[in-house]
Amino acid sequence: MDIESFSGAATVAAACTIVFVVVMKSWQVVSRTINSGPLFTDGIVREAAQRFRDEFERLSNTQAIYLSAGLVFIMLFMAAHALDAERLYAGYPDWQLHIFATVLTIGLLLVLASLVRIVIDRHHVRLLRDANIVVGHQLQHVAAGFGQVFHDVETSAGVIDHVVVGQSGAYAVSVFARRPVSNGHVEIDNNELIFRPSGDSDSILANGKCIAALEREFRRLLDHRVRVRSVIAVPGWQIDNQSNDEHLLVNADSLPMMRGWKDQADYLMNEDVEALHKMLTDLTKA
């Protein structure tokens, strides 16, 4: 394949592929505008891992567009080459065609790099989504007769994955997602989660800031302090010893332990529970 044949076929394929991507992106925008929200907003709250479900869907759609565009480009390139598209550049000097081919190759490499990044991000979001779903579903069983569960609770410091509020008190359940490994276990050391045997760590300081922000919101509502206990959930990992009493470290199987982690000083009056439930319902409406 000479430079004229390559440049002509690539030009036709690239131009048509760009039009295809613009049409697909425009359709996504129109579709989101038409389906902008749920029909029964007063009675629908966020499901477990709702933000990760939405992000996974967005990345999946973007990945599908990239892959479809790649297939369109290949098919059109082959068709244009078979139909003698080199006539588009007949008489052009070779140095100009080489510059065009170089620019096109760089553009294709950048698109491929973006696709690889999307695939990696989608894989990570899928892990976060599934970890939050399994914890959220387990909480539905744990909270029966114990409290009400709310998902993706927004605070001024960030989002808390799950919040449980009942007469026994308030609990913030933060999920840390790591792909399980053979004989993998985790422990809390000060303000870090230590994963063994790799020795990797994750800070839990951001979770403490979110919990403090939620406590401030509760205090403004009830005019007295409500302690929000911190539960750290790491599904798929075995739990080792804890170094402090500020956090309860659990996996999906040991999550029911939070029912016994309470203090009479944290108990809430019925009217306080109802007020907090209403507040959290408003915060988590879809």
Side-chain angles (χ1 to χ4, degrees):
M1 181 183 296
D2 57 31
I3 188 66
E4 288 185 353
S5 178
F6 173 83
S7 299
T11 298
V12 173
C16 294
T17 301
I18 290 173
V19 172
F20 171 80
V21 172
V22 170
V23 171
M24 293 298 294
K25 287 286 188 180
S26 300
W27 172 248
Q28 282 190 346
V29 173
V30 171
S31 179
R32 284 197 300 267
T33 302
I34 295 174
N35 303 311
S36 57
L39 297 178
F40 306 100
T41 55
D42 291 337
I44 299 178
V45 294
R46 296 171 192 152
E47 298 180 359
Q50 187 64 59
R51 69 189 191 279
F52 297 122
R53 294 172 194 255
D54 295 341
E55 180 66 8
F56 183 80
E57 181 180 2
R58 185 190 70 81
L59 290 172
S60 296
N61 291 336
T62 303
Q63 177 181 283
I65 290 177
Y66 271 78
L67 294 176
S68 300
L71 180 61
V72 168
F73 179 85
I74 293 172
M75 293 177 61
L76 290 175
F77 182 89
M78 296 174 62
H81 176 64
L83 296 173
D84 298 328
E86 65 269 12
R87 289 176 295 178
L88 292 173
Y89 292 100
Y92 278 70
D94 287 351
W95 66 270
Q96 290 185 359
L97 298 180
H98 280 93
I99 291 177
F100 171 78
T102 301
V103 172
L104 179 63
T105 302
I106 292 174
L108 291 176
L109 291 175
L110 291 175
V111 171
L112 182 60
S114 297
L115 176 59
V116 171
R117 186 179 67 252
I118 289 171
V119 171
I120 294 173
D121 290 346
R122 181 176 176 273
H123 184 74
H124 179 61
V125 170
R126 180 186 178 188
L127 176 63
L128 294 172
R129 181 201 65 182
D130 291 352
N132 272 270
I133 287 176
V134 71
V135 172
H137 287 178
Q138 184 70 4
L139 275 174
Q140 297 296 337
H141 299 288
V142 172
F146 180 69
Q148 187 170 341
V149 185
F150 302 89
H151 308 290
D152 288 355
V153 178
E154 297 179 5
T155 72
S156 58
V159 179
I160 299 176
D161 296 316
H162 314 279
V163 173
V164 182
V165 174
Q167 291 184 338
S168 298
Y171 299 81
V173 183
S174 304
V175 180
F176 284 79
R178 288 261 183 155
R179 188 164 296 279
V181 299
S182 179
N183 297 321
H185 53 277
V186 60
E187 63 183 18
I188 291 182
D189 185 7
N190 293 324
N191 289 312
E192 287 190 335
L193 292 178
I194 309 298
F195 295 86
R196 308 293 184 187
S198 66
D200 294 339
S201 63
D202 283 337
S203 173
I204 58 177
L205 287 175
N207 300 82
K209 294 178 180 178
C210 291
I211 292 173
L214 186 62
E215 288 182 340
R216 289 194 295 270
E217 293 293 331
F218 286 175
R219 185 180 186 89
R220 277 195 287 268
L221 177 67
L222 302 179
D223 202 27
H224 65 80
R225 183 178 184 272
V226 175
R227 179 187 178 185
V228 179
R229 290 178 175 266
S230 172
V231 179
I232 306 295
V234 190
W237 291 74
Q238 297 300 315
I239 306 301
D240 278 358
N241 61 304
Q242 300 177 184
S243 63
N244 57 61
D245 296 327
E246 296 181 4
H247 310 277
L248 177 65
L249 182 61
V250 296
N251 55 30
D253 295 329
S254 61
L255 194 57
M257 290 175 58
M258 65 179 290
R259 294 176 64 98
W261 193 44
K262 54 189 177 181
D263 190 293
Q264 191 171 359
D266 300 329
Y267 281 17
L268 299 172
M269 303 292 290
N270 288 338
E271 55 268 26
D272 291 343
V273 173
E274 291 178 2
L276 293 179
H277 283 178
K278 184 179 184 306
M279 170 190 169
L280 291 169
T281 299
D282 293 336
L283 284 174
T284 58
K285 283 184 177 179

